[in-house]
């Protein structure tokens, strides 16, 4: 059995085994989470957590399901933070960069304080992402923000009161919609399916039964890695 | 954290054998060998883990013990206390679940002009979809075809799939890819502008489209954004705890439970699309799971109580490569694409023991055999056992698998140079509500899509086929509901008579009064004495 160490959850002391995650520690203290818990695998951003450790003035962050506890840490999960989202019509004819500028003009009020970057539990360079958004470089915004889990912590710290993760969300969609290629073979295949090119082939497989299928399966050629 | 010192010996063996293994060919098993391996080692074949249902449409069928208990349970509220004369919400189509299938259904129903209400247990988008790493299979390349995808899927499912459901799955695949591109999904591309495609277990062609190693997250956040853009309403933290029927026995709404206030509300709907996901958090046979916090089989429970039929519920998918160390990541998924890109499965002695591109049930059974009968597992300090996934074989792993690289880096394990310790983990419910190609269940007015639906994947799902199936059947369910709703002849009169009947049958079986379902969330708090409040 691991040694027990103290942590403070919402200011209340609990003794929990060393080495567990913050989420594990909260549950081992008897709490059954409803808010502030989602995929438990670091993907969903439901358990954005802020904490401080003794002897350090700095505020620290992490996803509760991914962060190990430290002795004496003082923890609060931030399950929700109000955010503004502007409605996007992805199919509009407007220039994508102009669309983004129109939607979120507050991005130009960025003070360059870097609080967003410091707080991001995914280690994204949020301030640089906003700088690229200001420059209208949607490709850079899309690539740099790809790992965003939209936990909301950046919005909670922004001095210019913007919501960086929603700006990045719109930028990624605008970039993908306007700039990523759509290979011709995709539409060609859709057309073939619509024309019923494969219906007969597949129906024949179904009618011929399992033995024939087993034979085809065993004999199929497999593309190399 | 890193690896405990006593792993040094086996880690060295893995390193020493790496070059030799690169040129080693491991034969695929033939049908007989495969069937035998699975029958001997797959958890579905452990008799002590299974039980016969004593009630309902599938009475007499063998299902996991944990599911049987959940299905043979009372509702969590008193049906006599509902005010059914005045439902709290009225809508055309009620969609249960905020994952990929539910969102696809909602967007499609909305496109068709219906009034849509979504309801979900946690937040919109909190679902297994979001956790999918590898990608979505779609037979779009010229070298590929729906015909080949059909053979792979049905062969992988050991010919237990309902063939017409597979036909629909593979035929809709290309259209689904285009539909997602049109919403602004960032798929991966090659430099020549063609779609990047990955190989994965059981497929004969490279057909897995990806968004780095966060495919599910990207798909989910794009759909969620689009739902918000269209202002489609969603009731969060409001799981469905029962379905309502009309006087003709057709599904006509649901009872919702507000998990934050304890309030019960009722919805009247002309059609209900069940897209509530899977079962992993019931921890079948005590296995850890890759699943979301809310994957507790709610949809199966409420639909079964209302009379809907299940299929293949004796079949659970264990993903061969769930994390074993560090323990904080226990059960979490390591995507199959790593094997597709050359990572070997290796035992304590540094030996391969299965062709890594076999189907999931085969690879999982082989891992279990290695750790049990053959005694070739690696044992952790707390008694878990696993085999190595030799990640250093993958070129440019740090960029291609950013998410996984980062996750292990936090525990001082560098997967560029060190392998990952893995063991099968509960990943997917192969069976579910029985549907037809139009996503209709056996209960009129109830449609099902995504993991809660069964028959599409047979008794073994191939990688990348569920991310496709959620969209295919989410969209099909919505289209069919729109069509049926045009001639809606249902009644405004809602009833819970079926629930009273079900409760009466439970009483006859002497099911204890305090046994309730759906369980809604797993309980990971210590089993201390808690006061009833």
């Amino acid at each position: 059995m691991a040694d027990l160490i103290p942590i403070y959850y919402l200011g209340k002391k609990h003794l929990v085994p060393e080495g567990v995650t913050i989420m594990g520690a909260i549950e081992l203290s008897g709490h059954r989470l409803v808010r502030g818990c989602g995929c438990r695998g670091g993907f969903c951003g439901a358990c954005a957590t802020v904490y401080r450790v003794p002897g350090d003035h700095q505020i620290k962050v992490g996803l509760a399901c991914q962060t190990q506890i430290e002795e004496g840490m003082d923890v609060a999960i931030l399950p929700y933070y109000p955010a503004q989202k502007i409605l996007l019509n992805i199919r509009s004819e407007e220039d994508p960069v102009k669309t983004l500028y129109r939607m979120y003009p507050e991005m130009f009020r960025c003070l360059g304080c870097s609080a967003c970057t410091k707080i991001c539990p995914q280690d994204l360079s949020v301030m640089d992402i906003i700088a690229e958004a200001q420059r209208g470089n949607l490709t850079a915004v899309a690539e740099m923000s790809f790992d965003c889990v939209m936990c909301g912590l950046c919005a909670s710290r922004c001095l210019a009161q913007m919501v960086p993760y929603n700006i990045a969300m719109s930028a990624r969609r605008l970039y993908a919609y306007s700039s990523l290629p759509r290979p011709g073979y995709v539409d060609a295949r859709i057309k073939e399916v619509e024309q019923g090119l494969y219906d007969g082939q597949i129906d024949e497989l179904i009618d011929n039964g399992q033995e024939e299928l087993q034979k085809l399966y065993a004999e199929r050629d497999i593309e190399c890695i | 954290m890193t690896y405990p010192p006593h792993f040094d010996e086996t880690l060295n063996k893995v390193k020493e054998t790496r070059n030799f293994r690169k040129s080693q060919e491991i034969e695929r098993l033939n049908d007989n060998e495969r069937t035998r391996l699975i029958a001997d080692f797959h958890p579905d074949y452990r008799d002590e883990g299974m039980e016969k249902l004593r009630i309902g449409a599938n009475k007499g069928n063998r299902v996991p013990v944990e599911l049987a208990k959940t299905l043979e349970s009372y509702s969590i509220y008193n049906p006599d206390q509902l005010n059914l004369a005045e439902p709290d919400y009225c809508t055309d189509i009620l969609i249960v679940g905020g994952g990929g299938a539910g969102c696809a259904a909602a967007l499609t129903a909305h496109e068709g002009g219906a009034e849509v209400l979504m309801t979900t247990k946690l937040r919109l988008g909190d679902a297994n979809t979001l956790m999918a790493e590898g990608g979505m299979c779609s037979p779009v390349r010229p070298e590929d075809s729906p015909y080949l995808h059909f053979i792979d899927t049905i062969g992988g499912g050991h010919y237990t799939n309902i063939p017409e459901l597979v036909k629909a799955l593979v035929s809709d695949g290309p259209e689904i890819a285009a539909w997602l591109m049109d919403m602004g999904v960032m798929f991966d591309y090659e430099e020549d502008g063609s779609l990047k495609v990955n190989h994965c277990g059981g497929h004969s062609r490279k057909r897995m489209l990806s968004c780095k190693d966060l495919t599910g997250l990207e798909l989910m956040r794009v759909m969620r954004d689009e739902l918000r853009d269209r202002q489609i309403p969603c009731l969060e933290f409001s799981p469905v705890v029962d379905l309502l029927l009309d006087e003709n026995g057709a599904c006509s709404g649901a009872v919702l439970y507000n998990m934050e206030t304890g309030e019960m509300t009722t919805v009247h709907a002309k059609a209900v699309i069940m897209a509530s996901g899977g079962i992993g958090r019931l921890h079948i046979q005590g296995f850890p799971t890759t699943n979301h916090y809310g994957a507790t089989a709610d949809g199966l429970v409420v639909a079964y109580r209302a009379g809907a039929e299940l299929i293949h519920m004796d079949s659970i998918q264990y993903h061969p490569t769930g994390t074993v160390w560090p323990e904080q990541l226990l059960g979490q998924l390591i995507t199959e694409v790593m094997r597709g890109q050359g990572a070997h499965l290796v035992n304590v002695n540094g030996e391969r023991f299965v062709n890594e591109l076999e189907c999931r049930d085969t690879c999982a059974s082989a891992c279990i055999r290695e750790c049990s009968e053959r005694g070739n597992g690696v044992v952790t300090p707390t008694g878990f056992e696993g085999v190595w996934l030799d990640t250093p074989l993958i070129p440019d792993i740090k960029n291609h698998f950013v998410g996984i690289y980062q996750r292990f880096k936090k525990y001082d394990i560098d997967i560029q140079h060190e392998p990952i310790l893995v063991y099968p983990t509960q990943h997917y419910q192969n069976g579910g509500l029985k549907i037809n190609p139009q996503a209709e269940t056996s209960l009129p007015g109830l449609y099902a899509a995504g993991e809660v639906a069964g028959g599409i994947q047979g008794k073994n799902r191939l990688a990348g086929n569920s991310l496709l199936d959620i969209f295919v059947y989410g969209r099909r369910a919505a289209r069919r509901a729109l069509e049926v709703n045009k001639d809606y002849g249902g009644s405004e009169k809602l009833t819970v008579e079926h629930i009273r009947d079900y409760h009466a049958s439970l009483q006859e079986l002497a099911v204890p009064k305090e046994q309730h379902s759906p369980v809604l969330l797993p309980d990971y708090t210590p089993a201390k004495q808690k006061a009833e409040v």
Side-chain angles (χ1 to χ4, degrees):
Chain A
M1 185 71 197
D3 289 337
L4 296 181
I5 59 170
I7 68 150
Y8 296 82
Y9 174 51
L10 301 175
K12 190 171 173 182
K13 183 176 174 180
H14 297 281
L15 289 171
V16 289
E18 208 171 358
V20 298
T21 59
I22 294 174
M23 182 168 285
I26 292 170
E27 289 177 333
L28 287 170
S29 313
H31 301 272
R32 194 177 184 181
L33 295 166
V34 174
R35 289 260 178 189
C37 178
C39 71
R40 307 176 73 97
F43 297 92
C44 79
C47 61
T49 298
V50 288
Y51 63 92
R52 283 192 153 100
V53 292
D56 188 341
H57 76 279
Q58 290 185 66
I59 190 122
K60 302 189 176 200
V61 290
L63 298 174
C65 70
Q66 298 292 299
T67 310
Q68 284 182 77
I69 56 164
E70 292 174 50
E71 187 162 349
M73 75 194 311
D74 188 359
V75 179
I77 293 184
L78 207 65
Y80 182 82
Y81 197 86
Q84 115 153 319
K85 176 188 150 41
I86 304 298
L87 302 186
L88 168 70
N89 176 8
I90 189 94
R91 281 155 217 89
S92 92
E93 299 288 308
E94 193 180 20
D95 173 75
V97 173
K98 280 187 188 149
T99 306
L100 195 68
Y101 288 168
R102 178 180 51 74
M103 289 170 76
Y104 295 105
E106 66 271 27
M107 72 169 86
F108 293 100
R109 299 182 54 177
C110 174
L111 299 166
C113 72
S114 199
C116 52
T117 298
K118 284 181 196 143
I119 204 163
C120 178
Q122 293 289 88
D123 292 331
L124 301 179
S125 302
V126 186
M127 189 180 79
D128 296 336
I129 292 169
I130 294 302
E132 293 296 351
Q134 290 172 347
R135 289 183 198 114
N137 187 348
L138 297 186
T139 313
V141 177
E143 290 298 334
M144 290 163 71
S145 71
F146 192 80
D147 290 357
C148 174
V149 294
M150 306 178 77
C151 70
L153 283 172
C154 52
S156 79
R157 300 290 278 172
C158 180
L159 282 178
Q161 305 180 54
M162 66 177 112
V163 182
Y165 69 85
N166 272 343
I167 298 174
M169 178 78 240
S170 295
R172 281 193 304 273
R173 288 186 68 195
L174 287 164
Y175 158 74
Y177 186 76
S178 64
S179 303
L180 289 179
R182 164 106 156 243
Y185 56 72
V186 174
D187 292 302
R189 179 57 45 76
I190 293 171
K191 205 164 208 179
E192 288 175 2
V193 171
E194 276 168 9
Q195 288 166 346
L197 201 68
Y198 300 100
D199 285 343
Q201 287 180 16
I202 294 176
D203 288 340
E204 205 181 308
L205 285 180
I206 297 175
D207 291 343
N208 287 347
Q210 184 175 332
E211 212 167 297
E212 173 74 13
L213 265 171
Q214 262 173 303
K215 196 164 152 270
L216 287 169
Y217 186 72
E219 288 168 0
R220 75 206 161 125
D221 76 293
I222 297 175
E223 196 173 1
C224 297
I225 289 183
Chain B
M1 177 65 61
T2 186
Y3 286 122
H6 81 266
F7 280 15
D8 283 354
E9 194 185 334
T10 172
L11 281 167
N12 279 333
K13 282 182 183 162
V14 174
K15 201 170 166 187
E16 284 162 12
T17 55
R18 194 166 288 144
N19 258 330
F20 160 71
R21 281 186 276 112
K22 273 193 223 171
S23 55
Q24 190 189 14
E25 279 289 328
I26 303 264
E27 286 272 316
R28 284 177 189 252
L29 302 179
N30 65 34
D31 269 349
N32 284 337
E33 292 166 331
R34 190 180 299 131
T35 311
R36 177 108 189 262
L37 173 66
I38 291 171
D40 287 347
F41 294 98
H42 197 282
D44 284 353
Y45 290 83
R46 285 181 200 155
D47 282 336
E48 65 275 22
M50 294 287 175
E51 191 171 298
K52 276 184 179 168
L53 281 174
R54 299 176 294 170
I55 187 172
N58 292 72
K59 189 172 167 176
N61 284 19
R62 192 173 165 269
V63 301
V65 172
E66 297 79 3
L67 176 64
K69 186 180 174 195
T70 312
L71 292 177
E72 295 175 356
S73 290
Y74 300 91
S75 299
I76 64 167
Y77 63 97
N78 178 355
D80 296 329
Q81 288 177 351
L82 294 175
N83 178 7
L84 295 175
E86 290 168 47
D88 299 287
Y89 299 91
C90 285
T91 187
D92 291 336
I93 301 179
L94 173 68
I95 292 162
V96 181
C103 291
L107 291 168
T108 308
H110 184 261
E111 278 158 20
E115 192 187 332
V116 177
L117 179 65
M118 295 182 77
T119 180
T120 190
K121 179 156 57 186
L122 298 167
R123 304 170 311 165
L124 178 62
D126 278 341
N128 283 340
T129 298
L130 170 137
M131 306 176 74
E133 293 175 346
M136 179 186 88
C137 283
S138 176
V140 289
R141 287 161 69 223
E143 299 86 338
D144 195 2
S145 82
Y147 173 81
L148 296 173
H149 194 182
F150 180 91
I151 295 174
D152 291 343
T153 301
I154 209 155
H158 312 308
Y159 315 98
T160 54
N161 325 48
I162 298 176
E164 291 74 18
L165 296 181
V166 183
K167 183 185 171 190
L169 177 78
V170 299
S171 303
D172 289 6
E175 187 263 340
I176 293 296
W179 183 65
L180 293 167
M181 288 173 191
D182 283 343
M183 241 186 285
V185 168
M186 275 174 70
F187 283 113
D188 295 334
Y189 288 83
E190 301 289 353
E191 275 176 16
D192 67 359
S194 62
L195 282 158
K196 186 173 162 48
V197 280
N198 286 306
H199 224 316
C200 44
H203 290 275
S204 66
R205 290 289 180 277
K206 295 181 187 177
R207 59 167 72 103
M208 188 188 256
L209 312 182
S210 58
C211 312
K212 305 192 199 280
D213 66 346
L214 295 170
T215 310
L217 171 65
E218 167 66 357
L219 295 172
M220 197 65 249
R221 65 190 175 193
V222 168
M223 283 199 294
R224 184 174 54 200
D225 201 52
E226 179 69 10
L227 281 162
R228 288 179 179 155
D229 289 334
R230 297 204 212 158
Q231 298 176 284
I232 296 173
C234 179
L235 305 172
E236 296 185 323
F237 298 93
S238 301
V240 164
V241 292
D242 259 319
L243 294 175
L244 295 169
L245 303 183
D246 69 14
E247 45 195 355
N248 306 316
C251 183
S252 297
V255 183
L256 313 183
Y257 168 63
N258 183 328
M259 288 206 296
E260 296 183 298
T261 63
E263 194 184 0
M264 309 296 303
T265 50
T266 50
V267 184
H268 178 270
K270 294 176 192 168
V272 178
I273 298 176
M274 185 60 70
S276 55
I279 198 173
R281 290 285 160 187
L282 296 186
H283 295 292
I284 305 298
Q285 298 194 30
F287 270 82
T289 182
T290 58
N291 282 193
H292 196 274
Y293 190 41
T296 55
D298 306 0
L300 298 181
V301 171
V302 301
Y304 197 69
R305 275 210 281 260
E309 197 184 327
L310 308 175
I311 182 173
H312 297 158
M313 275 319 305
D314 57 342
S315 172
I316 298 293
Q317 179 163 80
Y318 298 85
H319 195 292
T321 55
T323 310
V324 177
W325 188 270
E327 237 171 84
Q328 289 87 341
L329 304 180
L330 185 69
Q332 286 185 23
L333 180 67
I334 305 297
T335 173
E336 186 145 335
V337 180
M338 288 202 155
R339 280 177 289 138
Q341 296 204 0
H344 293 154
L345 286 168
V346 179
N347 68 21
V348 69
N349 304 316
E351 302 154 340
R352 290 169 74 190
F353 50 86
V354 67
N355 183 309
E356 288 82 3
L357 289 183
E358 293 272 12
C359 291
R360 286 178 176 171
D361 53 358
T362 311
C363 285
S365 300
C367 293
I368 293 172
R369 178 178 62 187
E370 219 54 28
C371 294
S372 55
E373 191 184 77
R374 292 183 173 174
N376 287 336
V378 179
V379 185
T380 73
T382 42
F384 289 100
E385 217 168 332
V387 295
W388 296 111
L389 179 69
D390 198 14
T391 49
L393 287 162
I394 302 172
D396 197 24
I397 191 168
K398 193 176 162 185
N399 282 317
H400 198 91
F401 298 96
V402 189
I404 297 175
Y405 171 77
Q406 292 283 1
R407 212 179 304 154
F408 281 86
K409 204 179 115 204
K410 284 184 187 163
Y411 295 94
D412 288 330
I413 293 169
D414 183 347
I415 63 170
Q416 298 177 102
H417 307 296
E418 291 168 304
I420 299 175
L421 195 64
V422 296
Y423 191 77
T425 177
Q426 198 285 352
H427 187 53
Y428 188 76
Q429 146 194 319
N430 287 318
L433 293 168
K434 190 177 174 186
I435 57 166
N436 64 18
Q438 292 171 311
E440 293 170 308
T441 68
S442 66
L443 177 66
L446 181 68
Y447 306 81
E451 195 169 343
V452 75
I456 309 157
Q457 314 291 356
K459 293 198 176 190
N460 179 58
R461 175 175 71 76
L462 296 192
N465 266 357
S466 65
L467 270 196
L468 177 60
D469 128 12
I470 56 178
F471 301 122
V472 168
Y473 284 96
R475 274 166 80 65
R476 281 180 172 251
R479 287 186 188 132
R480 182 62 182 157
L482 286 163
E483 206 173 277
V484 172
N485 274 6
K486 272 193 276 179
D487 319 306
Y488 179 68
S491 160
E492 299 289 315
K493 199 166 170 217
L494 297 171
T495 150
V496 284
E497 212 46 54
H498 58 290
I499 295 161
R500 292 199 188 95
D501 291 347
Y502 200 87
H503 286 183
S505 306
L506 291 173
Q507 273 170 357
E508 277 170 34
L509 294 171
V511 173
K513 277 275 180 221
E514 61 282 0
Q515 193 169 308
H516 295 289
S517 71
V519 298
L520 303 177
L521 292 175
D523 190 348
Y524 297 127
T525 61
K528 290 176 200 150
Q529 194 72 39
K530 284 188 186 174
E532 290 276 336
V533 181

